[in-house]
Amino acid sequence: MSEPLALTGLPWPVELRTHPRARRLRLALDEPRGLLRLTVPRRVSRSAAIDWARRQAAWVEAQLARIEPAEPFVAGASIPFDGGEVLLRWDDAAPRTPCLAAAILTCGGPYDRFGDRVARWLRDEARRRLVEETFILTARNGIAHAPVSVGDAGTRWGSCSVSGAIRYNWRLILAPPEVRAYVVAHEVAHRVHMNHGPGFHALQAALYGGDVGAARLELRRIGPRLKRVGRG
Ligand SMILES: [Zn+2]
C-alpha cells in the first residue's frame, strides 16, 4: 500500500491496493478516513487503474451526496470557518449584519432571509481576507499586485487569468488558514508562471513555505463538505 494519490476530478485521495485475488477494479469510499480505496487486480497496471478511477468521478459524487447531508445556513447549525467551527445564531433584536464573536455568528432581521445574510457575510469575509492574503504574498515577494475577486465557480478553488486577475472560490473562508494559504500560493505562483512546470512548483513551494502535498490532500479531503455548506 502506498501514499494516497490526489487525482484530478476526484474529491477524495485514492489509496491503491493490489489484491492477488481481485477479479476486477473496484472503488470504495472509506468515510472515516475521507479516502477512496481502489482495489487493483494483479494483472491490471497502475496507470490503467488510475485512468479507470478518474472516470468514476460522477459515481463518487453521487455516493458522497447520498451519505453526506446538505448543511443549509439555518439557526443552530455549525459551519466550518477559518479552521474552526462557528455556530449560527438568530436573534431578531440583533443587527441584520452578522457579527462574529467567540465562535458564534449572530444575525438579526427577519428569519426568512437569515441564510442569505449569512452567505453574503461569508462571501464578504472571504473577499476581504483573500485580497489581503494575496496582497501580502505578492508584496513580500516582489510580484506585481493582482486584482482579486471571489465567486463560486464549479469545482475550482482558484484561477489566474492570462491578464493576471485572480479569482477564488469564496468557500475557502470555510477552510483552515493553512489550506487557504496553499491556494493563494498556487494562484500567486501563476502570476509568474502560467503553467504547472518545474519553475511553477518551485515558486509555489517557496511562497507556501509548508508541505504543499499535505495541504492539497487536506483540501481534497474537506472539499466535499465545504461545497455542501450553505446548500439545500
Ligand atoms: Zn494551477
Side-chain angles (χ1 to χ4, degrees):
M1 201 168 9
S2 53
E3 275 293 288
L5 296 170
L7 297 186
T8 308
L10 290 178
W12 283 359
V14 175
E15 188 176 75
L16 274 82
R17 315 176 156 200
T18 305
H19 199 291
R21 288 189 311 277
R23 303 182 64 162
R24 56 183 186 87
L25 286 158
R26 201 169 60 230
L27 201 59
L29 274 68
D30 183 341
E31 269 182 78
R33 296 168 65 216
L35 285 175
L36 296 167
R37 278 202 314 268
L38 175 59
T39 305
V40 186
R42 200 164 18 200
R43 62 186 165 75
V44 175
S45 74
R46 182 185 161 90
S47 63
I50 288 172
D51 275 356
W52 178 83
R54 277 210 180 93
R55 293 197 300 271
Q56 310 308 310
W59 177 84
V60 172
E61 295 287 351
Q63 301 303 307
L64 285 175
R66 195 177 306 165
I67 60 170
E68 295 176 338
E71 294 190 42
F73 293 137
V74 294
S78 173
I79 61 165
F81 178 81
D82 199 29
E85 290 278 322
V86 162
L87 179 72
L88 304 183
R89 179 169 155 263
W90 179 60
D91 174 353
D92 62 355
R96 287 179 183 221
T97 302
C99 176
L100 178 65
I104 298 174
L105 187 68
T106 303
C107 175
Y111 188 66
D112 62 342
R113 308 290 293 174
F114 177 83
D116 295 340
R117 289 193 292 276
V118 169
R120 197 174 320 121
W121 184 86
L122 286 167
R123 218 179 160 104
D124 288 347
E125 197 65 13
R127 183 183 304 107
R128 191 178 66 74
R129 299 227 198 164
L130 286 159
V131 163
E132 183 180 301
E133 288 160 2
T134 305
F135 180 84
I136 289 171
L137 203 58
T138 51
R140 262 194 207 143
N141 292 280
I143 298 168
H145 306 317
V148 172
S149 60
V150 298
D152 194 3
T155 56
R156 303 175 80 181
W157 292 107
S159 62
C160 181
S161 74
V162 270
S163 69
I166 293 177
R167 191 163 174 82
Y168 296 108
N169 191 314
W170 71 263
R171 292 170 182 280
L172 286 168
I173 195 64
L174 307 173
E178 66 276 14
V179 171
R180 204 164 60 238
Y182 148 68
V183 178
V184 172
H186 185 100
E187 299 311 333
V188 168
H190 276 318
R191 300 291 323 285
V192 180
H193 302 279
M194 283 309 289
N195 54 51
H196 290 125
F200 166 85
H201 283 290
L203 180 58
Q204 174 184 245
L207 291 173
Y208 183 56
D211 186 340
V212 168
R216 190 192 303 123
L217 280 177
E218 180 62 6
L219 182 56
R220 280 180 191 271
R221 190 183 71 79
I222 65 177
R225 182 179 180 209
L226 303 192
K227 287 173 184 168
R228 280 193 326 269
V229 168
R231 299 199 201 276

